[in-house]
Each structure stands twice: as C-alpha cells, then as structure tokens.
Amino acid sequence: MLIKRNPNGIDLPFGSEITPRAMFESRRHFIKQLAVGSIAGGALAEMAMREAFAQSGGTQKLAARPNPGFVVMDKPTAFKDATTYNNFYEFGTDKTDPAQNAGSLKPRPWTVAIEGEVKKPMTVDLDGLLKLAPLEERIYRLRCVEGWSMVIPWIGYSLSELIKKVEPTGNAKYVEFITLADKKQMPGLRSPVLEWPYVEGLRLDEANHPLTLLTLGMYGEVLPNQNGAPVRIVVPWKYGFKSAKSLVKIRFTKDQPRTAWNISAPQEYGFFSNVNPEVDHPRWSQATERRIGEDGFFSRKRKTLMFNGYSDVASLYTGMDLKKFF
Ligand SMILES: Nc1nc2c(c(=O)[nH]1)N[C@H]1C(S)=C(S)[C@@H](COP(=O)(O)O)O[C@H]1N2
Ligand SMILES: [Mo]
C-alpha cells in the first residue's frame, strides 16, 4: 500500500484526487486574515469548524459517479448538521460529542478483516476497499430510532460487491459487523453504556440487498471521523443503529449475531430494526420523525414511512410478522 503524507500530517492514498497544496495555501490565507482581523464572527466560527474537519481528515475529496437509481428526492441535510449531530457512543453520548471528540480517531492506516463462513477470507486495507468496486454517490434517508432523520449523499458501493469476492459458504446465514474498540482513540469506551466493541448484524440476504452500502465517504469527501471514518455500513431501511461505523471486521456466521443494542435492551431493539411506523418503541411512538435542519418553530414533523420509504425491501420479509420480528 502506498501512502503519501501531506503537509498537514494527514495520510493520503497514493493517486487519489487530493490537493494538499491548495489546502495548505488556504490555511495560510486563513491565518493571515485572522492576523489582520478581517474575518467576522460568524465566518470565523464556520472556518474554525472547517479547520477542525481538515485536521480530522474530513476535507479529502473522494470522486464518485452519481447513481440516479439510488437517490431520494428530499433535500439533502446540510453538511454542517450531518457532521455535528451524531450518534457515535465511542466518543460520548451527547449529539455534539462525536464532532468534538472524534479527532483522536486515526482512520489511516486501516484494515478490515473478512472472515468466518467464507471460502476466501481476506484482510483488505483502505486503498483495497476504495478500488474494490466503482464508487457511487447515493442519496439516502437515514432515520434514527430516536425519531430524527437526515438525507445524506453517501459514497460507496453495494456491500454485495465485497460479499461476492469472499464467496460465502453454504453455512453463511448472517453477517456480523464488528467496529473499532480502542481506548486510546475512543474516550467513550471508558463508559459502559454499551458492550464494546459495538457490533451489528444482518441476515445474509439483507446484506446482499443492493441498497446496503459499504460506505467510504459523504458529500464528495472521505467520511469525517464522527460519521464513521474510514469505512461504515449504511442500511437505509433500518433504524440508524444498524449502520455500524468504523468497521474493522466482517464475519459470516451460521447463527444470528448478538448485537450491541439488542444486548443492552432486547425488548426495545430487536435484531431486524426495520423502520416501521406501526411498531412503537416501548417508550415512544415511531409514527413521525423530525428532519434535522427543519427544527424551526413552525416546521412540521414528517410521517415516518414503512421501511423508511424503501418499499422494495418488503419481499425480504414475506410471511414474517414484523410486529414480532421488530
Ligand atoms: N460504532 C458505532 N456505530 C454507530 C453508532 C455508534 O454509537 N457506534 N450509532 C448508530 C446510530 S444510533 C445512528 S442513528 C447512526 C448515526 O450515524 P450518523 O451520525 O453518521 O448520522 O450511527 C450508528 N452507528
Ligand atoms: Mo440511532
């Protein structure tokens, strides 16, 4: 694997579309402007935030071909909202914690081990993942079980592309997603809010559904740390907690994997976790949702849609009682 180190100390993949020089120049310009006092308060806050993202690696461009077959028509959430209102308990449980604390995550070098019930287990590094299949931009809704949602232009490719490379055996029925748990990089691990590492899982047919996205970027850039750098899963018809961030291992199994939220509160978070306005969470209704960025006094709540609007997936669940398998 070839790695170049740019002037800002961020590791860059060789040959990717990055202009460290321009980034460096604009930072110098920013510092000069600061010195002569020509930046107003609001702009300053905005630039300071961009600066923080630059340091966390979040401004590396990532080219992708838009895939119009996987685009919702809703207006995308502002980048600022999508990167400052997050759930990533490894960095704290407040919505603003991940943006504040995830600077300590080192997304390079990084490897993902693929193992278990497969004929061709492999360990792949980030450049390997970036080259495994053509990168696509897809605009997906993501709805958190807490009752808020976002619309994000993700970059990645169907997880099925990776699955076919490792050739699951006839025993493989489920896929387990295991994420990084490193106390040195993740201050939230000191708290026992969840069992670490954060683990999620899908049935193999769900994992192979074309919507299930192996995700390496968003908004034309690599994933910001707080959004699950350098690689996560996005399963748009399921509650957000299924979309595990900062993946280090993908394991194919015979049995249904234990999952972090199911372990912590099985009566509240089932294995399937399909978005379903008809099945309430024991402590609140799931009928409506708040779109992040539309939180004004007059903004109405949106109706939550079955499978988050991705009705094509219904065929995965024919004959199943979705009230029982919530
Ligand atoms: N490793 C890890 N992945 C995670 C979480 C987490 O705490 N740790 N939170 C989940 C939850 S509850 C949601 S709603 C989404 C939020 O993703 P986003 O912040 O990128 O929008 O990430 C999911 N993936
Ligand atoms: Mo969530």
Side-chain angles (χ1 to χ4, degrees):
M1 183 179 66
L2 288 156
I3 295 271
K4 278 197 292 194
R5 191 164 272 276
N6 83 356
N8 303 313
I10 302 161
D11 292 329
L12 302 174
F14 182 78
S16 60
E17 278 186 52
I18 295 162
T19 53
R21 164 100 193 175
M23 217 162 108
F24 186 61
E25 292 297 331
S26 79
R27 282 153 71 95
R28 284 205 350 202
H29 181 64
F30 170 60
I31 289 158
K32 266 193 208 147
Q33 281 189 299
L34 257 188
V36 299
S38 63
I39 302 173
L44 184 68
E46 170 67 22
M47 291 178 84
M49 202 184 59
R50 284 275 160 189
E51 181 76 353
F53 287 132
Q55 276 161 12
S56 68
T59 56
Q60 286 174 236
K61 296 272 171 279
L62 189 62
R65 180 179 58 87
N67 186 336
F70 292 85
V71 167
V72 292
M73 288 303 142
D74 308 16
K75 182 168 158 274
T77 301
F79 177 82
K80 184 180 171 170
D81 290 329
T83 53
T84 53
Y85 189 93
N86 302 100
N87 275 337
F88 199 166
Y89 278 17
E90 289 87 333
F91 296 103
T93 54
D94 286 351
K95 297 289 176 269
T96 49
D97 283 345
Q100 266 165 34
N101 302 332
S104 50
L105 177 71
K106 280 215 171 344
R108 278 182 182 275
W110 192 276
T111 57
V112 178
I114 302 137
E115 56 178 51
E117 291 291 346
V118 290
K119 288 180 204 136
K120 297 187 171 156
M122 64 180 195
T123 295
V124 55
D125 67 19
L126 215 44
D127 289 340
L129 283 174
L130 286 164
K131 281 185 298 211
L132 192 125
L135 294 176
E136 297 178 3
E137 180 175 79
R138 300 181 181 185
I139 306 180
Y140 281 173
R141 285 187 205 101
L142 194 66
R143 188 199 188 279
C144 177
V145 74
E146 295 165 338
W148 49 270
S149 59
M150 299 197 193
V151 177
I152 297 186
W154 301 107
I155 297 171
Y157 44 81
S158 294
L159 178 66
S160 62
E161 299 283 349
L162 184 145
I163 295 178
K164 71 183 180 211
K165 294 248 177 344
V166 294
E167 299 180 23
T169 70
N171 289 328
K173 295 284 181 293
Y174 294 89
V175 186
E176 187 178 10
F177 302 99
I178 298 142
T179 71
L180 184 72
D182 180 358
K183 286 204 173 101
K184 291 199 287 288
Q185 300 180 59
M186 302 173 136
L189 296 190
R190 284 194 294 255
S191 153
V193 268
L194 290 172
E195 198 179 287
W196 310 113
Y198 187 103
V199 172
E200 259 307 335
L202 294 172
R203 227 168 47 190
L204 183 59
D205 59 342
E206 297 177 319
N208 262 323
H209 192 282
L211 276 168
T212 303
L213 192 71
L214 189 84
T215 307
L216 294 147
M218 59 189 235
Y219 297 88
E221 301 177 357
V222 300
L223 284 173
N225 288 356
Q226 60 268 41
N227 294 82
V231 57
R232 68 179 292 175
I233 205 82
V234 176
V235 194
W237 72 94
K238 292 178 181 277
Y239 291 120
F241 65 85
K242 281 269 149 187
S243 296
K245 297 176 171 187
S246 303
L247 291 174
V248 291
K249 202 174 275 187
I250 300 176
R251 189 186 291 142
F252 292 74
T253 62
K254 261 192 289 206
D255 302 317
Q256 184 176 301
R258 303 165 79 238
T259 66
W261 283 101
N262 190 246
I263 293 165
S264 82
Q267 65 296 344
E268 300 193 359
Y269 310 105
F271 177 80
F272 285 94
S273 321
N274 289 320
V275 174
N276 190 340
E278 286 161 22
V279 177
D280 288 342
H281 185 280
R283 291 183 281 138
W284 59 80
S285 161
Q286 293 291 27
T288 60
E289 69 203 57
R290 180 171 61 91
R291 182 64 49 83
I292 297 304
E294 295 180 346
D295 315 84
F297 187 71
F298 294 104
S299 66
R300 271 182 294 141
K301 285 235 194 176
R302 289 170 179 257
K303 274 207 164 96
T304 287
L305 304 171
M306 187 65 201
F307 301 122
N308 205 19
Y310 297 93
S311 46
D312 285 0
V313 301
S315 60
L316 294 170
Y317 309 105
T318 23
M320 278 176 72
D321 178 356
L322 296 179
K323 291 202 162 75
K324 188 169 167 222
F325 298 101
F326 60 96

